[in-house]
């Protein structure tokens, strides 16, 4: 990744969203080349093209050039304007893939963002809308993103591969505040949602039973509600799944989730196995620990980076490979480096895996085109 007169240059299709989101926020041009250049079917996929169209809708005056084969993309970001947006997401990926990026952009748009996204709400690959609602939104509230208009709701479920789901997300304009999130506290309760669509409602109950059989060994306060969508609001494909969230005494969240195998794509999964495996995943996430779970690490780091020119500290569990790449990109686009202190935990403390204390001074990012009342 070298600087040229094309701005930053990257190779390959990995971390595609990170690069385009950070380019949009920093106002820096970016060129991504060699996108699946050696594949039999080279170039951008449908879901990536759909992502570019979404970026184009929330910005004004962006310049996007793609070569004939789709293997080179040049992006010159326009102003991040926000406003009301409707988008048909590619069903190759779930709405979560698009929403994760909108969460990163929404606090910085000129007018409050009101987005209606249609497509797949739950699939085994991307974070589900349920997960983002129960972990990312509370995290953003810590940074001062809040208010009546801060809403994320599943209007219709849409399981993979058919989709047919609909999600509404709105976010007010706000000033970020620096945070000190260093003491997660013990787990006090577990909440969850077992959802099913176009299958017997009994599926959700079977998931709940099996998840409880694992988690009740550790904790009495467990409530997993079932969400069985019917008729028009149940999308086009059958499926079921579970999202679990553990909340700590100090109000931090760890989450895990699993979705059934999409209809016609490989071995079907039993609701009992899904419930049990998801519960085990949650225990693993709790072991990793920290104040932010692994799926939200990059969101926390971005909000720290773009906060006021003041010190923010966040305690994380082990950094995911995705997060490590995100830190490199933050350095590229914002010239911000984090101070990273690894904190070893001994077995007898029962504090789980090694933690990492991340510290940085915000860039005092103000969106030049945003007017705060």
């Amino acid at each position: 990744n070298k600087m040229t007169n094309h701005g930053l240059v990257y190779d390959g299709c990995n971390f595609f969203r990170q690069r385009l989101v950070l380019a949009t926020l920093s106002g820096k041009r970016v060129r991504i080349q060699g996108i699946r250049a050696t594949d039999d079917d080279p170039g951008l996929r449908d879901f990536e093209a759909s992502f570019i169209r979404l970026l184009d809708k929330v910005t004004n005056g962006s310049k996007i050039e793609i070569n004939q084969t789709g293997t080179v993309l040049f992006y010159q970001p326009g102003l991040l304007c926000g406003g009301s947006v409707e988008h048909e997401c590619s069903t190759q990926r779930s709405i979560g893939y698009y929403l994760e990026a909108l969460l990163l952009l929404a606090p910085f748009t000129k007018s409050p963002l009101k987005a209606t996204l249609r497509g797949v709400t739950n699939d085994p690959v991307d974070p589900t809308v349920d997960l983002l609602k129960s972990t990312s939104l509370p995290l953003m509230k810590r940074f001062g993103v809040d208010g009546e208009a801060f809403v994320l709701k599943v209007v219709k479920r849409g399981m993979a591969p058919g989709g047919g789901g609909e999600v509404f997300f709105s976010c007010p304009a706000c000033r970020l505040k620096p945070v000190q999130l260093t003491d997660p506290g013990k787990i006090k309760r577990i909440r969850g949602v077992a959802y099913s669509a176009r299958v017997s409602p009994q599926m959700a109950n079977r998931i709940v039973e099996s998840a409880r059989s694992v988690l009740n060994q550790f904790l009495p306060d467990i409530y997993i509600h079932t969400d069985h969508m019917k008729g028009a609001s149940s999308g086009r494909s059958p499926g079921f799944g579970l999202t679990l969230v553990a909340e700590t005494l100090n109000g931090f969240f760890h989450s895990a989730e699993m979705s059934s195998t999409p209809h016609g794509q490989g071995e079907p999964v039993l609701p009992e196995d899904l419930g049990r495996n998801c519960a085990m995943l949650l225990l693993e996430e709790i072991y990793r620990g920290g104040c932010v779970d692994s799926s939200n690490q990059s969101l926390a780091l971005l909000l720290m980076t773009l906060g006021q020119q003041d010190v923010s500290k966040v305690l994380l569990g082990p950094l995911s490979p995705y997060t490590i790449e995100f830190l490199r990109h933050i350095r590229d686009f914002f010239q911000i480096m984090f101070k990273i202190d690894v904190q070893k935990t001994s077995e007898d403390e029962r504090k789980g895996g090694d933690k990492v204390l991340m510290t940085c001074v915000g860039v005092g990012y103000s969106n030049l085109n945003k007017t705060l009342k």
Side-chain angles (χ1 to χ4, degrees):
N1 51 332
K2 47 192 188 303
M3 278 302 278
T4 66
N5 52 358
H6 288 300
L8 286 156
V9 178
Y10 291 103
D11 272 311
C13 61
N14 287 345
F15 313 107
F16 185 75
R17 289 176 305 166
Q18 287 189 13
R19 288 163 181 172
L20 295 183
V21 163
L22 291 173
T24 307
L25 289 167
S26 63
K28 292 199 167 112
R29 292 176 306 194
V30 64
R31 178 188 159 99
I32 302 175
Q33 56 197 28
I35 302 173
R36 301 191 183 86
T38 55
D39 272 31
D40 292 345
D41 176 18
L44 292 167
R45 297 281 175 263
D46 276 355
F47 69 89
E48 290 158 330
S50 173
F51 181 74
I52 295 169
R53 285 195 294 278
L54 177 59
L55 271 186
D56 197 35
K57 287 177 188 174
V58 296
T59 57
N60 191 355
S62 291
K63 194 166 144 213
I64 300 160
E65 292 167 13
I66 299 169
N67 72 346
Q68 212 55 48
T69 52
T71 53
V72 180
L73 163 76
F74 172 72
Y75 174 62
Q76 183 171 338
L79 296 175
L80 190 50
C81 55
S84 288
V85 172
E86 293 207 12
H87 190 63
E88 201 63 56
C89 302
S90 158
T91 53
Q92 289 178 350
R93 299 293 289 259
S94 87
I95 291 174
Y97 174 85
Y98 301 89
L99 206 47
E100 273 189 303
L102 284 186
L103 291 174
L104 298 173
L105 295 168
F108 311 104
T109 56
K110 183 178 179 189
S111 340
L113 180 68
K114 294 182 183 53
T116 301
L117 304 175
R118 296 188 185 85
V120 173
T121 54
N122 304 76
D123 76 0
V125 186
D126 296 297
T128 64
V129 180
D130 308 85
L131 182 84
L132 297 173
K133 179 177 178 166
S134 49
T135 63
S136 304
L137 268 62
L139 174 63
M140 290 170 77
K141 286 180 179 167
R142 296 262 174 180
F143 285 90
V145 182
D146 207 358
E148 298 275 284
F150 193 38
V151 182
L152 174 54
K153 60 172 189 268
V154 180
V155 184
K156 297 175 181 172
R157 280 250 177 246
M159 305 295 295
E166 184 180 312
V167 170
F168 176 72
F169 170 57
S170 75
C171 179
C174 49
R175 273 240 156 84
L176 290 187
K177 48 182 200 241
V179 297
Q180 307 283 322
L181 312 179
T182 53
D183 178 17
K186 291 192 161 66
I187 302 291
K188 67 170 175 186
R189 59 171 170 227
I190 293 174
R191 295 290 175 262
V193 54
Y195 50 85
S196 53
R198 302 201 168 275
V199 293
S200 149
Q202 207 39 47
M203 292 294 198
N205 301 338
R206 285 163 62 187
I207 293 173
V208 174
E209 283 307 296
S210 59
R212 291 193 71 109
S213 70
V214 175
L215 299 171
N216 270 125
Q217 301 168 37
F218 303 97
L219 202 68
D221 187 354
I222 297 174
Y223 182 71
I224 304 171
H225 75 97
T226 56
D227 173 11
H228 181 69
M229 289 246 182
K230 291 192 179 63
S233 57
S234 65
R236 302 194 186 105
S237 293
F240 51 84
L242 173 65
T243 297
L244 290 173
V245 179
E247 188 184 344
T248 71
L249 286 167
N250 298 343
F252 296 110
F253 299 92
H254 297 286
S255 61
E257 61 178 2
M258 292 190 94
S259 255
S260 57
T261 318
H263 191 57
Q265 296 178 11
E267 284 295 299
V269 56
L270 283 173
E272 284 75 11
D273 294 344
L274 185 135
R276 210 171 25 249
N277 292 342
C278 190
M280 300 303 274
L281 272 181
L282 182 68
L283 295 176
E284 198 175 310
E285 195 59 60
I286 290 170
Y287 179 81
R288 294 171 66 100
C291 293
V292 177
D293 65 351
S294 46
S295 64
N296 285 297
Q297 286 177 346
S298 43
L299 175 59
L301 295 172
L302 182 77
L303 295 173
M304 289 168 77
T305 301
L306 298 182
Q308 303 165 23
Q309 288 171 324
D310 203 339
V311 176
S312 279
K313 289 181 192 244
V314 175
L315 186 71
L316 301 177
L319 301 180
S320 73
Y322 188 82
T323 304
I324 290 169
E325 206 53 49
F326 193 74
L327 285 168
R328 291 185 179 133
H329 285 119
I330 285 181
R331 185 189 58 200
D332 290 350
F333 286 98
F334 287 102
Q335 286 72 56
I336 283 278
M337 304 277 277
F338 281 75
K339 179 162 172 275
I340 305 180
D341 294 312
V342 177
Q343 309 192 330
K344 296 272 178 209
T345 53
S346 65
E347 278 300 306
D348 44 317
E349 279 183 87
R350 299 202 157 194
K351 288 265 174 67
D354 293 345
K355 308 288 181 279
V356 195
L357 184 65
M358 308 292 290
T359 310
C360 84
V361 176
V363 294
Y365 179 82
S366 65
N367 188 340
L368 302 177
N369 55 14
K370 184 164 86 186
T371 44
L372 275 173
K373 300 282 176 285

